[in-house]
Amino acid sequence: MSLRVSIFWLILMVSSSFLWTILNLNIAHADDETTSLQSQESTPVVEDNITPLLKTALVCESVRNGNCERSTVVLSVEKKQVFCYTLFENVYSPRVIYHRWYHRGELTTQIRLKLQPPRWATYSSIQLREADKGPWQVEIVDETGRIYGILRFSITD
């Protein structure tokens, strides 16, 4: 009886550890692709028919410890920087997405970001200047041009 209980607890501990590893959230920034806990060098980007799910997309004043801080739709130019934060689930293979930043309808910046399985959060940012006041939007797209989401916000005084 004691041996069965020991085996049961051993199986339970191994299963829990395995699930924790699978559900681990990996975070990367556009400028720091080495932050990932998984090696990106050994996994080439592969196209397949399974589309990742955009779970969260926010415009933020900052990103700290992989989390969006102070999501907003109106931001003062005095903040000097704005962030686009995205969280994808159901990422079955490495992918590339883009954050396309538009000011007054014109594409100003396109930032390439990598997604890694199984769940991945990433963000991009731009520096703000006086000339950047007005309406903005960020399109979240993949390499084929599929639009996952569009965020709209304004920069004010």
Side-chain angles (χ1 to χ4, degrees):
M1 189 75 150
S2 176
L3 180 61
R4 283 190 212 172
V5 172
S6 296
I7 290 172
F8 171 77
W9 285 112
L10 179 63
I11 291 171
L12 184 62
M13 288 173 41
V14 169
S15 298
S16 298
S17 175
F18 177 72
L19 285 175
W20 179 253
T21 302
I22 288 176
L23 297 175
N24 186 24
L25 172 63
N26 297 299
I27 299 170
H29 180 273
D31 297 330
D32 185 8
E33 294 180 1
T34 60
T35 347
S36 156
L37 297 177
Q38 300 173 349
S39 170
Q40 295 181 6
E41 296 171 7
S42 63
T43 52
V45 174
V46 177
E47 290 295 322
D48 61 21
N49 294 330
I50 302 171
T51 304
L53 171 67
L54 178 60
K55 184 73 173 174
T56 305
L58 299 167
V59 173
C60 314
E61 289 184 16
S62 67
V63 174
R64 285 201 180 30
N65 298 321
N67 295 306
C68 173
E69 291 192 348
R70 294 176 300 282
S71 67
T72 186
V73 293
V74 178
L75 188 73
S76 170
V77 73
E78 293 175 1
K79 292 291 183 183
K80 304 285 185 204
Q81 193 172 18
V82 63
F83 294 80
C84 175
Y85 170 89
T86 51
L87 170 65
F88 283 85
E89 291 185 345
N90 302 333
V91 181
Y92 292 104
S93 63
R95 299 280 180 142
V96 171
I97 62 158
Y98 297 91
H99 287 176
R100 292 182 179 163
W101 294 78
Y102 291 85
H103 182 228
R104 299 187 186 279
E106 277 197 43
L107 179 65
T108 61
T109 305
Q110 177 172 277
I111 301 174
R112 183 180 192 266
L113 302 161
K114 291 183 181 179
L115 302 180
Q116 295 291 335
R119 187 171 189 239
W120 197 263
T122 190
Y123 63 94
S124 64
S125 65
I126 59 168
Q127 300 297 315
L128 297 175
R129 304 161 296 160
E130 280 295 316
D132 292 330
K133 293 177 187 173
W136 281 83
Q137 74 178 36
V138 180
E139 287 182 352
I140 299 123
V141 301
D142 66 12
E143 290 181 301
T144 68
R146 179 186 188 280
I147 299 174
Y148 286 90
I150 298 175
L151 300 172
R152 291 180 175 81
F153 64 99
S154 294
I155 302 299
T156 63
D157 288 329

